[in-house]
Each structure stands twice: as structure tokens, then as C-alpha cells.
Amino acid sequence: MAVQLRHLAFLTPGSYLPEQPRAGLDATLALIAFAEQLGYDGAWVRHRHLEPGISSAAVFLAAASQHTTRIELGSAVIQLGYETPFRLAEDLSLLDALAGGRLQVGVSTGAPPHGELVGPLLYDSDPARIDFSHGRVARLLEALRGEPLGAADAEVGNAATRYRPRLQPHAPGLVDRVWYGAGSLQSARSAGEQGLHLLLGNVNRA
């Protein structure tokens, strides 16, 4: 019995020469736009820190969303050890709104690589004191659900307008498009328990 391929996506590192980042990033944007013309269903970018590559998937994919109209845009993977779950949720929700609901979010947990180098810049404290567990994924998902925050009568805003406090913009359905990059059976199990999609790679160790 023949198996029909229903969905085809690709992953690109978005690399560039350190002295010419714009040229490499423009080339990656052009690649994604060309892939959409060819009929690909999805384009995913690698997320890297301290390397000549895409250090902010949300910023880059926001640009890609304005060069495309149909193709899904994914991050593989955003290392949550570098992020604050609520602020990342704001960026991802804004990106999904710009992309018209095309975002696929890949994340992972654990202590960030090179934490000893960036710790004082990133956390204002010793990274060894930070919680890098799967709980960070749970906090990201909670924020993406966009439920009102605080008491029932809580309001935020300015002199002109008041609102119930919640993540803005709310991106309906984005919480159901979150993937976990698992590197062990334990992390795969945790992803399943949290209702996440599963990302697997064929290179987990050098």
C-alpha cells in the first residue's frame, strides 16, 4: 500500500558571515519565499545564540511572514533557558498575528548552553540558581492561552481606555501549535503529558 506524503517542510540554519549578517539573512528570507512558490508546506529555522545564525526566531520569522502568505513558519528550537516565558509568549503571539496564524513554535528546556558566559548579562545572578525545568514550558503555555490575569475586577490601561489584563495580542490556537524538542525519553514523556507535539532530530550529540 502506497503512503501519500501530505506535508513537506524544511529546516534552514539561516547562517551568515559575521561581517555581513544582512546578506545571509536576506538570502534566507528569499529561500523561504521561493519554497512557498515551489509548494512547500512549512519552513523552519534553527535558533542559535552566540553564533552567526538566527538568534531571535520571533524577529526573523516576523520578517518572513511579510515575504510570504501561505507557508507555515516554525522555530526549531527556542531554548527557554534564555527566555522569560511571559515575554516570549508576547513575542510569539504578536508574530502569529502578523503571520495570520501560520506559526509553529518549537521549544526546549534545560540550562542554556554557554550559560557561564551570558549568565550575568541574562539573569543578573548565578545561572545555577535559575529553574530550567519543564515548568518553564507550562508557564509559556499558560501565557499563550491568554486567560485574564488577576482578580475579576482587575484593570490595566491608560487615561483613555481600560482593559482586563491578559496577554496581548491573544493568538487563538497558537497554544495548540507548540512543539517540544526532546533529547531523551523523559523529555518526550513530559511533552506528551503537557499535550505538546514532538520534535525529533537525528543529531542529539556531537
Side-chain angles (χ1 to χ4, degrees):
M1 178 174 142
V3 177
Q4 182 180 5
L5 184 64
R6 297 182 179 179
H7 192 94
L8 182 62
F10 70 98
L11 172 69
T12 178
S15 301
Y16 51 79
L17 296 175
E19 65 275 13
Q20 294 180 314
R22 175 68 184 270
L25 294 172
D26 279 348
T28 304
L29 290 173
L31 174 66
I32 294 174
F34 183 55
E36 180 175 75
Q37 295 176 20
L38 292 176
Y40 276 82
D41 298 296
W44 294 65
V45 297
R46 294 180 66 188
H47 192 119
R48 290 293 180 267
H49 296 286
L50 306 183
E51 299 177 23
I54 295 171
S55 56
S56 174
V59 172
F60 180 83
L61 292 178
S65 75
Q66 303 306 293
H67 288 72
T68 56
T69 60
R70 175 194 56 79
I71 196 169
E72 290 181 346
L73 303 171
S75 66
V77 293
I78 298 173
Q79 299 162 335
L80 293 183
Y82 282 97
E83 309 288 345
T84 300
F86 183 82
R87 272 292 299 118
L88 177 61
E90 286 185 318
D91 288 345
L92 296 175
S93 295
L94 181 58
L95 165 55
D96 197 47
L98 288 170
R102 291 183 283 143
L103 180 60
Q104 302 284 339
V105 181
V107 298
S108 67
T109 57
H114 317 299
E116 73 283 0
L117 298 175
V118 300
L121 301 173
L122 193 61
Y123 305 110
D124 296 324
S125 66
D126 181 0
R129 302 173 59 186
I130 306 298
D131 176 16
F132 296 120
S133 72
H134 290 94
R136 297 181 81 84
V137 181
R139 293 194 290 276
L140 174 67
L141 297 176
E142 181 180 1
L144 290 177
R145 291 187 182 98
E147 298 295 335
L149 304 174
D153 58 350
E155 291 185 335
V156 297
N158 51 51
T161 311
R162 307 295 293 177
Y163 303 93
R164 285 293 309 278
R166 63 181 295 183
L167 181 138
Q168 295 285 359
H170 176 54
L174 180 56
V175 71
D176 300 318
R177 287 179 266 124
V178 179
W179 300 66
Y180 189 82
S184 67
L185 289 177
Q186 179 181 357
S187 59
R189 184 179 301 111
S190 176
E193 291 171 348
Q194 296 187 75
L196 303 174
H197 302 286
L198 189 63
L199 283 175
L200 296 175
N202 60 355
V203 180
N204 284 328
R205 294 177 177 83

